[in-house]
């Protein structure tokens, strides 16, 4: 860890999981503590739990509500979180709670959390924070982020219109409060009907009891909410308190088109969490770059969805010693004299140039069987090298194919001009050429450009899931000018 860790948490990107308890797809897979443990072992620093009353209504289950996912008991998840919280990183672990509980069950959860985590649990000294603590100040601490329970009544109070209040009470009895938000006048914070995936879609207890919920509320360090009404209002910065706002990837796309500068101003002090849209039932992920370039700290990913996007996420968080916190570039934290902020859409000059030479590769004959790539002859390898980053920097190039060689020698150089090197990732892939165009996968890695060690390097490759191969390496040279 080499970056300054003493700034508020809002100054860092945080390695964030989505529906961390699911073993597979979002529709009918099992809920378990196993994927939570795997995420923590891989350095994830934000774990999400969806809390629902169990069938007897006397305790709490963790499951993806409104789907066929099988539940797991909350205590099992909490115990595993405690055991593995700091196995990969000593920096703070955030638990985001999606809350669908009655007040008495909220009080029960508060008791379970306090009892299970003990001194590891960070309890804020006041109800609202003026600034978030730093990762350094919260080392080896667990912090809770969720929507404060009293927001429900405050929301109703804010509706001056009696008619809306009447409708709200009726909807609350039906457990459908979230519809009010998306039906609010002039709501440009609306999303397609994937909001059941939204962590703030909660069922409130019509017999709301502030006293019962008090212990639960006290544990919340990062107060969460979703956009109500107009997006510009949702992104207003309050000088007296900080909070977390959640948007789906679709909402983020709409918001960046019309309120890009507002989002960056918001994320300089507050936390923005982005989550996958509800139609991603196969647990796939989205391109994180739009969220990162707008300063969003918690870009929530399905850690069981092994795709290109997850490889970018894994590569991004290899930075800063793999501690799960990466300091945002200075340009996202600064405001000009007239309130101007970084514009991701602006045409920028080239800041640095990365030169990458791919000499050769080796190790496949140790890690793969002789017939893995081709039954009758040695493999035909080619390498793909490129950049993932802001749109202007994105490119993929490839070497020629070396036929019938377990140890391919390419000896080719590539040049990449970079406008935003701070957010650039070097993507490396090896494929085995197949006449049918269904090329075989030979390994990949993704590395933060600003942390590449210059000179000649042996670069280990990983499988599709991000696990490192035992022997497969590329001999490469890096030069950053």
């Amino acid at each position: 860890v080499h970056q300054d860790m003493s700034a508020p948490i809002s100054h860092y990107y945080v390695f964030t999981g989505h529906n961390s308890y699911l073993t597979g797809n979002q529709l009918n897979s099992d809920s378990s503590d196993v994927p939570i443990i795997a995420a923590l072992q891989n350095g994830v620093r934000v774990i999400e739990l969806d809390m629902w009353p169990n069938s007897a209504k006397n305790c709490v289950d963790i499951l993806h509500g409104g789907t066929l996912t099988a539940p797991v008991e909350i205590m099992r998840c909490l115990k595993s979180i405690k055991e593995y919280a700091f196995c990969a990183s000593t920096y703070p672990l955030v638990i985001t709670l999606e809350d669908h509980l009655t007040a008495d069950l909220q009080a029960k959860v508060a008791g379970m959390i306090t009892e299970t985590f003990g001194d590891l649990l960070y309890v804020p000294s006041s109800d609202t924070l003026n600034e978030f603590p730093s990762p350094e100040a919260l080392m080896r601490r667990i912090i809770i982020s969720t929507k404060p329970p009293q927001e429900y009544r405050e929301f109703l109070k804010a509706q001056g219109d009696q008619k809306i209040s009447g409708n709200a009470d009726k909807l609350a009895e039906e457990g459908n409060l979230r519809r009010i938000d998306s039906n609010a006048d002039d709501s440009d914070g609306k999303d397609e009907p994937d909001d059941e995936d939204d962590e703030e879609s909660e069922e409130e207890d019509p017999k709301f009891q502030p006293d019962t919920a008090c212990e639960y509320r006290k544990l919340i360090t990062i107060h969460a909410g979703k956009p109500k009404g107009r997006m510009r209002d949702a992104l207003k910065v309050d000088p007296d308190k900080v909070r977390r706002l959640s948007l789906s990837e679709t909402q983020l796309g709409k918001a960046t088109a019309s309120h890009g500068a507002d989002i960056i101003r918001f994320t300089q002090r507050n936390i923005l969490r982005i989550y996958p849209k509800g139609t991603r039932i196969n647990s796939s992920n989205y391109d994180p770059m739009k969220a990162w370039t707008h300063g969003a700290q918690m870009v929530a990913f399905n850690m069981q969805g092994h795709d290109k996007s997850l490889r970018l996420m894994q590569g991004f968080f290899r930075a800063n010693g793999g501690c799960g916190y990466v300091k945002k570039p200075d340009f996202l934290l600064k405001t000009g004299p007239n309130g101007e902020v970084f514009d991701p859409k602006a045409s920028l000059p080239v800041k640095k140039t990365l030169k990458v030479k791919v000499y050769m590769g080796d190790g496949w004959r140790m890690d793969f069987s002789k017939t893995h790539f081709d039954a009758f002859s040695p493999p035909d390898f080619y390498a793909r090298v490129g950049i993932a980053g802001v749109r202007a920097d994105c490119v993929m190039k490839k070497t020629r194919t070396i036929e019938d060689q377990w140890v391919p020698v390419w000896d080719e150089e590539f040049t990449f001009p970079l406008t935003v090197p701070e957010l650039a990732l070097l993507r490396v892939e090896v494929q085995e050429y197949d006449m049918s165009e269904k090329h075989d996968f030979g390994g990949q890695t993704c590395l933060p450009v600003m942390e590449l060690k210059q000179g000649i390097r042996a670069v280990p490759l990983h499988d599709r899931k991000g696990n490192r191969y035992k022997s497969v390496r590329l001999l490469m040279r890096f030069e950053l000018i």
Side-chain angles (χ1 to χ4, degrees):
V1 178
H2 59 89
Q3 295 177 347
D4 171 24
M5 302 301 280
S6 61
I9 279 182
S10 51
H11 289 207
Y12 300 83
Y13 298 113
V14 193
F15 201 0
T16 302
H18 173 253
N19 289 353
S20 308
Y21 49 85
L22 287 182
T23 54
N25 67 47
Q26 306 284 309
L27 206 56
N28 59 3
S29 65
D30 289 341
S31 302
S32 166
D33 60 336
V34 173
I36 295 172
I37 293 167
L40 293 170
Q41 288 171 330
N42 288 324
V44 172
R45 294 287 82 199
V46 184
I47 295 292
E48 183 188 24
L49 300 177
D50 292 19
M51 306 187 301
W52 293 83
N54 65 358
S55 50
K57 305 278 189 252
N58 62 357
C59 202
V60 178
D61 278 340
I62 304 297
L63 74 151
H64 193 200
T67 67
L68 302 171
T69 51
V72 58
E73 288 176 356
I74 188 170
M75 270 313 288
R76 192 165 159 186
C77 297
L78 296 179
K79 281 178 179 168
S80 294
I81 288 172
K82 183 187 181 182
E83 190 178 341
Y84 291 91
F86 304 106
C87 65
S89 168
T90 53
Y91 286 94
L93 177 72
V94 182
I95 303 175
T96 61
L97 299 174
E98 183 182 317
D99 179 1
H100 304 269
L101 303 178
T102 52
D104 57 324
L105 286 177
Q106 285 174 344
K108 199 165 191 174
V109 166
M112 288 176 185
I113 287 174
T114 310
E115 204 175 307
T116 306
F117 298 140
D119 292 341
L120 292 177
L121 185 66
Y122 174 80
V123 181
S125 51
S126 63
D127 191 36
T128 52
L129 297 172
N130 176 258
E131 188 177 65
F132 289 119
S134 69
E136 194 171 74
L138 293 172
M139 281 181 87
R140 300 195 74 87
R141 302 300 288 273
I142 292 171
I143 58 182
I144 303 297
S145 177
T146 186
K147 191 175 182 182
Q150 275 173 288
E151 268 197 19
Y152 163 61
R153 285 297 168 196
E154 287 165 8
F155 170 70
L156 290 187
K157 213 160 124 190
Q159 311 296 316
D161 188 333
Q162 281 300 307
K163 193 171 90 170
I164 293 179
S165 290
N167 287 345
D169 280 330
K170 188 166 156 243
L171 284 171
E173 282 157 28
E174 295 165 11
N176 271 329
L177 179 73
R178 64 188 173 79
R179 287 191 190 160
I180 302 166
D181 286 358
S182 56
N183 290 338
D185 293 338
D186 301 323
S187 174
D188 56 6
K190 276 192 282 186
D191 199 3
E192 71 262 54
D194 64 25
D195 266 351
E196 68 267 20
D197 189 69
D198 179 6
E199 79 192 65
E200 320 314 339
S201 60
E202 65 182 72
E203 293 181 30
E204 289 283 359
D205 180 17
K207 303 178 286 297
F208 183 75
Q209 299 152 306
D211 300 339
T212 323
C214 191
E215 290 310 306
Y216 176 76
R217 188 189 174 96
K218 271 186 204 163
L219 303 180
I220 304 169
T221 298
I222 302 176
H223 286 222
K226 67 176 283 190
K228 294 175 185 140
R230 292 165 56 161
M231 186 59 73
R232 184 170 277 114
D233 297 335
L235 293 166
K236 273 196 178 136
V237 176
D238 187 330
D240 299 321
K241 64 177 181 185
V242 287
R243 60 196 168 95
R244 189 193 94 208
L245 182 70
S246 280
L247 301 175
S248 75
E249 58 173 293
T250 318
Q251 287 173 311
L252 176 76
K254 291 173 188 170
T256 52
S258 51
H259 304 290
D262 291 332
I263 292 174
I264 291 172
R265 280 187 206 100
F266 180 83
T267 57
Q268 289 176 346
R269 266 176 55 77
N270 300 284
I271 289 174
L272 183 60
R273 179 178 176 274
I274 310 301
Y275 59 91
K277 59 186 179 184
T279 49
R280 292 186 181 276
I281 51 173
N282 61 347
S283 293
S284 63
N285 290 299
Y286 50 98
D287 181 356
M289 210 46 80
K290 181 171 274 190
W292 287 335
T293 53
H294 285 84
Q297 297 88 344
M298 295 184 179
V299 183
F301 262 39
N302 294 311
M303 294 300 160
Q304 73 280 40
H306 301 293
D307 49 21
K308 177 195 148 191
S309 296
L310 184 59
R311 289 178 213 160
L312 296 183
M313 181 68 68
Q314 289 165 337
F316 189 82
F317 284 102
R318 286 191 178 115
N320 201 24
C323 75
Y325 285 81
V326 172
K327 189 94 162 43
K328 294 203 286 188
D330 284 346
F331 60 77
L332 283 171
L333 299 168
K334 284 180 181 159
T335 308
N338 303 314
E340 64 271 21
V341 290
F342 173 70
D343 180 5
K345 296 190 187 87
S347 182
L348 299 165
V350 171
K351 211 186 229 181
K352 286 193 184 286
T353 300
L354 174 68
K355 285 187 176 177
V356 178
K357 185 152 191 176
V358 189
Y359 292 107
M360 59 180 288
D362 194 10
W364 289 281
R365 55 200 168 151
M366 279 82 92
D367 289 354
F368 293 86
S369 70
K370 268 186 178 168
T371 56
H372 178 88
F373 295 106
D374 197 317
F376 306 106
S377 65
D380 310 322
F381 287 126
Y382 68 90
R384 296 179 74 228
V385 182
I387 298 291
V390 297
R391 189 170 290 177
D393 296 349
C394 286
V395 65
M396 277 309 267
K397 300 177 179 183
K398 69 177 190 178
T399 65
R400 65 192 188 281
T401 302
I402 305 293
E403 292 183 10
D404 299 338
Q405 283 290 341
W406 279 103
V407 185
V409 178
W410 294 288
D411 215 14
E412 291 185 45
E413 188 170 70
F414 303 99
T415 301
F416 303 103
L418 303 172
T419 61
V420 187
E422 298 89 343
L423 294 177
L425 296 166
L426 176 70
R427 287 180 60 205
V428 181
E429 261 177 36
V430 174
Q431 303 274 357
E432 199 270 338
Y433 179 80
D434 197 308
M435 295 282 281
S436 70
E437 296 293 314
K438 279 194 173 175
H439 307 315
D440 292 317
F441 179 81
Q444 61 85 22
T445 192
C446 199
L447 302 163
V449 165
M450 295 303 279
E451 295 213 359
L452 289 173
K453 289 184 177 176
Q454 301 202 46
I456 295 173
R457 302 283 158 196
V459 180
L461 296 190
H462 301 72
D463 65 15
R464 281 190 171 92
K465 292 183 176 182
N467 304 312
R468 193 161 158 169
Y469 289 127
K470 220 171 168 176
S471 315
V472 180
R473 299 274 189 284
L474 294 186
L475 191 65
M476 305 177 79
R477 190 185 74 217
F478 303 124
E479 197 182 347
L480 198 58
I481 307 156

